[in-house]
Amino acid sequence: MDYQAIRRELDGPVLTVTLNRPEKLNAYTARMGAELADAINRADADDGVRAIILTGEGRGFCAGADLSAGAGSFDTTEGGAGSRNFGEGRTAESGAGSSFIHAMYNSRKPIIAAFNGPAVGVGITLALPTDIKIASNRARFGFVFARRGLAPEAASAWFLPQLVGLPQELRWCLEGRMVEADEALKAGLVSEIVEPQDLLHRAREIAMGIAENTAPVSIALTRQLLWRFAADDQPFDLLKIDGPFVQAMGSTDDVKEGVGAYLEKRPPNFPGKVTSDMPKGYPWWTDPA
């Protein structure tokens, strides 16, 4: 895919995906969604990529949907301007069943969001499926849908309470106000705040810590177990899944390497690859997409 709305940069085992419409504060379009989905899916299929950083170019992370069409920016009736913003990030190139939400949620690679500035509307909901979220002290967040006559999208009504709890989600979404970085940290939306000049360095530091010290197959399986079972109201379905996986993984070369590296006090060199060595039974779910 020819990227126009994002930039994709691979540096060693870390892929940085940058929302790249700085003249529009990286305002979201369906094209951006399609490109984001493509970049995440490509990273998922590349064993050389161990972690992904998602950030924005310039002074904003993402200002939300592109409002250049004015009051009709969300009109998706035939001939309406809303097709520029909606479409779940789908194009003929990405396939009718593809979107950035599916790509992120199903990813076998950890994704770190680095909020360099305001993230509003879809500009914050598109990043909710990321695993680790850090922010510049200049970042602000807005679940402003009710102030635009809209409702939360991109499955954010499911993702957001997983992160901050239903009471906090209700307050933010019903008030529709902007949330400062400190409030987002206190609520658990982001895990740390740094100075603007340190943001990408800190994101890469986290990414490299994962790349250098963890097993790719373990990370892929851990990520899916946590996301898919965190909202269950009982642990028994999970027990049917995680037990067989742990038993199967116990005899793998990854586990032998992990234990050996620990005992020998040296860095590990895990041989397992997510493209070929995921344990039997993975994936255990059926994706309706």
Side-chain angles (χ1 to χ4, degrees):
M1 174 178 277
D2 177 25
Y3 295 140
Q4 300 172 14
I6 71 169
R7 189 171 67 250
R8 183 182 185 277
E9 299 168 294
L10 183 62
D11 184 3
V14 179
L15 174 69
T16 300
V17 177
T18 305
L19 307 180
N20 191 31
R21 301 184 71 218
E23 73 285 356
K24 297 284 188 179
L25 288 177
N26 304 317
Y28 176 86
T29 64
R31 175 76 197 191
M32 178 182 285
E35 292 180 13
L36 181 57
D38 184 79
I40 299 296
N41 286 330
R42 284 178 59 189
D44 201 54
D46 184 351
D47 286 318
V49 176
R50 289 296 321 279
I52 303 165
I53 296 171
L54 176 63
T55 193
E57 180 64 33
R59 59 190 180 90
F61 181 80
C62 178
D66 190 318
L67 301 181
S68 57
S73 295
F74 295 97
D75 183 0
T76 57
T77 58
E78 186 174 355
S83 60
R84 177 176 172 81
N85 294 332
F86 293 98
E88 299 178 334
R90 297 174 182 175
T91 68
E93 295 170 89
S94 64
S98 179
S99 75
F100 63 85
I101 293 297
H102 289 98
M104 287 189 185
Y105 188 62
N106 290 326
S107 175
R108 293 171 295 188
K109 311 298 173 69
I111 308 172
I112 302 163
F115 295 106
N116 55 303
V120 183
V122 69
I124 176 58
T125 62
L126 69 80
L128 293 182
T130 61
D131 305 297
I132 298 171
K133 300 170 181 64
I134 66 173
S136 155
N137 56 23
R138 295 178 182 171
R140 303 172 73 215
F141 306 92
F143 299 90
V144 300
F145 306 102
R147 295 195 180 199
R148 306 292 183 267
L150 296 167
E153 33 63 296
S156 55
W158 185 89
F159 282 105
L160 187 55
Q162 310 304 312
L163 302 171
V164 302
L166 181 59
Q168 185 65 76
E169 177 190 36
L170 283 167
R171 180 158 188 177
W172 283 350
C173 290
L174 296 181
E175 290 183 340
R177 61 183 172 82
M178 294 299 292
V179 175
E180 300 294 335
D182 287 344
E183 183 178 349
L185 176 65
K186 183 178 179 180
L189 180 62
V190 299
S191 58
E192 61 183 279
I193 299 172
V194 299
E195 293 293 328
Q197 66 271 19
D198 298 329
L199 181 68
L200 289 182
H201 173 77
R202 178 58 180 144
R204 183 171 176 83
E205 187 176 53
I206 296 169
M208 288 301 296
I210 294 171
E212 293 173 350
N213 297 295
T214 67
V217 172
S218 295
I219 288 292
L221 188 57
T222 298
R223 187 182 190 277
Q224 293 301 322
L225 288 171
L226 294 178
W227 271 117
R228 292 179 184 275
F229 286 100
D232 273 18
D233 58 4
Q234 45 80 20
F236 304 111
D237 290 336
L238 175 56
L239 284 172
K240 299 174 185 177
I241 298 293
D242 63 7
F245 280 145
V246 171
Q247 290 182 4
M249 295 169 76
S251 60
T252 63
D253 290 338
D254 272 355
V255 171
K256 295 174 184 176
E257 172 61 15
V259 173
Y262 170 73
L263 294 175
E264 297 165 17
K265 296 181 173 54
R266 60 172 174 79
N269 183 20
F270 295 105
K273 296 179 171 56
V274 298
T275 56
S276 58
D277 299 315
M278 295 302 294
K280 183 180 180 181
Y282 180 95
W284 64 89
W285 65 90
T286 300
D287 191 334

